[in-house]
Amino acid sequence: MSISTQGGPERRPSVVKPAAGAKPNSPGDGKPARPSGGKGKGPRKPVTPVKVAQQRSWGPILLFVAVGVLAVGIIGYGAFAVIKGSESWEDRAAGIDGIVNYRETDPGMLTANHKSGPQTYKTTPPVGGDHNTAWQNCMGDVYDAPIANEHAVHSMEHGAVWVTYKTGLPQDQIDKLAEKVRGNEFTLMSPVDGLSNNISLQAWGYQLKLDSADDDRIDTFIRALRINATQEPNAGCSSGVTATGTTPRDIGGMQQGS
Amino acid sequence: MSSATTSSEPSTDGSEEPSPARRLGTLWLALAIVAGLALGYTAGLLTPSVTAPGDDSVEAGFVRDMSTHHAQAVEMAMIMHTKAQDEQVASLAADIAITQQGQIGTMSAWLRDWNLNPTGEQPRMAWMPNSQGSLTNGLMPGMATPEQLTALRAATGVEAEKMFLDLMLTHHLGGIHMAEEVVDLSDNKDIDWLAGTMVASQQREIQAIQVIKTELPAN
């Protein structure tokens, strides 16, 4: 109630006083008050008390602005952190220069039936499709001879990244690749005869062909897709075929050493 | 309203300041409450992502490395389970495989909750101070070499069982070392709980392994 009481009496005396008092604090607000008062028009006078009120609220305004800036800062940081932190592995994979995503371009070839005997695949090396019941052991195994596609595809179904290199690649390049694989479950590595590039990385539905083991996209590919690309979360990599040779083995012919 | 106007007239200067402030005070109070709610809501939303272990944290490093360490124990146990003749060895192998695979599931779920990838940017064991020397050929403490695994696959009978028990004993000692370290380094309740149970149960398994070894026939 006292709020309205001030408005009335203030009209005449306070038009000048607050406007003058406002100057040091807010020249911008004070200026319009004077011309309006100078014109001597009655109807405009009610406007000035509102300005009076604004002058007195600078403290709270500053406080509110400070709180607001803090809130916006926190919200902004939070949004940034959430967006950055929640970047999906698919987005990370999509950001790799040269990667081919067959899940998008050719999902039809990524069937996952268990079949015995040799299978035909659209890509070399394959990135998915029907495969053998047995998977290739992918406990960071480094195979020194070609392995069966039918087993490697099953490993990728379990979430493994399959590192392949052209047979005959210089040993120092092979060693660099092996260092990224050995001992790391959900990875395996083997040579492939007549590979189009020196190196080809595969995960279920994804492929990246490279020319050098020094390419840092290798680490990026493994980080983005290892385990994440799985079709069977928490499926394992042990208890698979550890033998080399490109002819698929049916269950019972597993664990032949080498 | 108008009557109130006249009553307060005399004190124009004195009461001028408090009363508009009071009117605005209500407005500010409302705005402050809204702002406070917004802040609290935001803080609540952000707290989990801010307090969750980061990509380079001790917790993330331990979870990733222990998952790999466990995965090899599962592998050796599965190799043994398929060919153990001694019932105690077969049972121990099944226990190790199932327990450790389950723990891998728990740990990988944590990584998902923390919005972290299964594979980190840090090298193995980087979360553990002064641990770089503990890596042998990229393998963490206690882990079997590819040659030892090949030998285990090739071995049969009591020889295979003894080989498995020896490899698993070494494996557990390495794992216990890592788990004890993370209990020291981390204040994360979940990590401390799981690592604590790893230390206790693997120590009990080591005792069991030592007993079983004495009971196996000499070859």
Side-chain angles (χ1 to χ4, degrees), chain B:
Chain B
M1 296 299 227
S2 57
S3 63
T5 302
T6 47
S7 70
S8 65
E9 208 169 320
S11 60
T12 302
D13 286 332
S15 63
E16 223 172 58
E17 286 169 27
S19 31
R22 207 179 295 169
R23 177 180 66 172
L24 286 167
T26 314
L27 185 63
W28 287 123
L29 185 65
L31 286 173
I33 288 172
V34 170
L37 286 172
L39 267 177
Y41 180 69
T42 309
L45 275 185
L46 296 181
T47 300
S49 63
V50 171
T51 56
D55 199 51
D56 297 343
S57 66
V58 165
E59 290 80 8
F62 170 78
V63 163
R64 286 167 176 147
D65 285 353
M66 189 53 88
S67 294
T68 295
H69 205 267
H70 270 32
Q72 194 190 55
V74 174
E75 174 165 49
M76 293 194 295
M78 289 302 290
I79 292 171
M80 197 63 238
H81 189 61
T82 57
K83 62 183 172 190
Q85 289 163 352
D86 183 275
E87 276 184 21
Q88 288 192 92
V89 174
S91 164
L92 177 74
D95 192 3
I96 289 171
I98 293 167
T99 304
Q100 300 219 358
Q101 189 62 35
Q103 291 175 354
I104 288 171
T106 299
M107 291 188 286
S108 59
W110 287 342
L111 286 176
R112 285 187 69 86
D113 282 350
W114 301 340
N115 248 325
L116 300 178
N117 263 347
T119 310
E121 303 203 15
Q122 298 290 311
R124 293 282 181 213
M125 301 296 284
W127 57 273
M128 205 168 125
N130 308 316
S131 64
Q132 286 310 299
S134 65
L135 287 176
T136 310
N137 209 0
L139 297 172
M140 290 177 282
M143 284 181 74
T145 64
E147 292 74 26
Q148 287 173 316
L149 290 174
T150 303
L152 181 62
R153 286 195 182 90
T156 54
V158 180
E159 185 205 9
E161 287 165 352
K162 285 184 170 171
M163 195 182 289
F164 167 74
L165 293 176
D166 286 338
L167 287 174
M168 196 53 75
L169 196 150
T170 307
H171 199 275
H172 273 6
L173 287 175
I176 288 168
H177 177 52
M178 290 165 66
E180 282 178 337
E181 282 286 330
V182 85
V183 170
D184 276 354
L185 293 170
S186 173
D187 291 329
N188 183 295
K189 272 186 189 173
D190 290 332
I191 295 279
D192 286 351
W193 162 72
L194 187 62
T197 65
M198 286 176 188
V199 172
S201 65
Q202 292 187 19
Q203 278 170 342
R204 288 195 297 271
E205 267 175 6
I206 284 175
Q207 289 171 354
I209 286 170
Q210 285 166 335
V211 171
I212 297 172
K213 271 176 75 175
T214 63
E215 292 172 1
L216 285 178
N219 48 334

Side-chain angles (χ1 to χ4, degrees), chain A residues 163-210:
Chain A
V163 178
T164 59
Y165 60 93
K166 187 194 283 184
T167 302
L169 192 70
Q171 191 60 42
D172 64 315
Q173 289 278 294
I174 296 174
D175 291 344
K176 276 180 186 164
L177 286 176
E179 208 171 290
K180 302 175 188 301
V181 171
R182 194 174 284 121
N184 297 323
E185 80 280 19
F186 292 102
T187 62
L188 74 164
M189 168 172 157
S190 68
V192 169
D193 294 337
L195 195 62
S196 61
N197 291 62
N198 283 338
I199 295 162
S200 181
L201 307 179
Q202 286 75 225
W204 187 268
Y206 287 92
Q207 191 160 58
L208 177 64
K209 299 208 170 183
L210 304 161

Side-chain angles (χ1 to χ4, degrees), chain A residues 23-224:
Chain A
K23 268 198 169 182
N25 289 337
S26 60
D29 286 337
K31 279 173 185 173
R34 278 189 166 178
S36 66
K39 285 168 188 171
K41 291 176 182 178
R44 291 198 181 178
K45 284 174 185 172
V47 177
T48 42
V50 177
K51 285 170 185 168
V52 170
Q54 284 175 339
Q55 289 157 11
R56 293 202 186 89
S57 58
W58 274 109
I61 283 177
L62 286 174
L63 184 68
F64 188 73
V65 165
V67 170
V69 166
L70 188 69
V72 168
I74 290 173
I75 292 168
Y77 169 77
F80 170 77
V82 166
I83 288 166
K84 191 166 184 274
S86 66
E87 188 187 16
S88 67
W89 64 265
E90 287 98 335
D91 290 342
R92 275 185 253 260
I96 299 173
D97 191 31
I99 197 169
V100 182
N101 180 354
Y102 290 99
R103 298 185 189 206
E104 278 184 2
T105 60
D106 195 357
M109 74 180 190
L110 298 174
T111 52
N113 303 306
H114 287 186
K115 290 183 176 173
S116 55
Q119 306 295 314
T120 54
Y121 295 101
K122 276 193 176 180
T123 64
T124 306
V127 296
D130 294 346
H131 49 262
N132 196 274
T133 308
W135 57 93
Q136 193 77 24
N137 215 64
C138 43
M139 297 290 295
D141 298 74
V142 175
Y143 299 99
D144 56 7
I147 58 175
N149 289 332
E150 292 78 4
H151 297 315
V153 169
H154 196 157
S155 304
M156 291 191 285
E157 187 189 33
H158 284 202
V161 167
W162 182 21
V163 178
T164 59
Y165 60 93
K166 187 194 283 184
T167 302
L169 192 70
Q171 191 60 42
D172 64 315
Q173 289 278 294
I174 296 174
D175 291 344
K176 276 180 186 164
L177 286 176
E179 208 171 290
K180 302 175 188 301
V181 171
R182 194 174 284 121
N184 297 323
E185 80 280 19
F186 292 102
T187 62
L188 74 164
M189 168 172 157
S190 68
V192 169
D193 294 337
L195 195 62
S196 61
N197 291 62
N198 283 338
I199 295 162
S200 181
L201 307 179
Q202 286 75 225
W204 187 268
Y206 287 92
Q207 191 160 58
L208 177 64
K209 299 208 170 183
L210 304 161
D211 291 320
S212 168
D214 299 307
D215 199 316
D216 55 16
R217 284 176 291 171
I218 297 172
D219 288 336
T220 312
F221 186 96
I222 292 173
R223 250 199 313 277

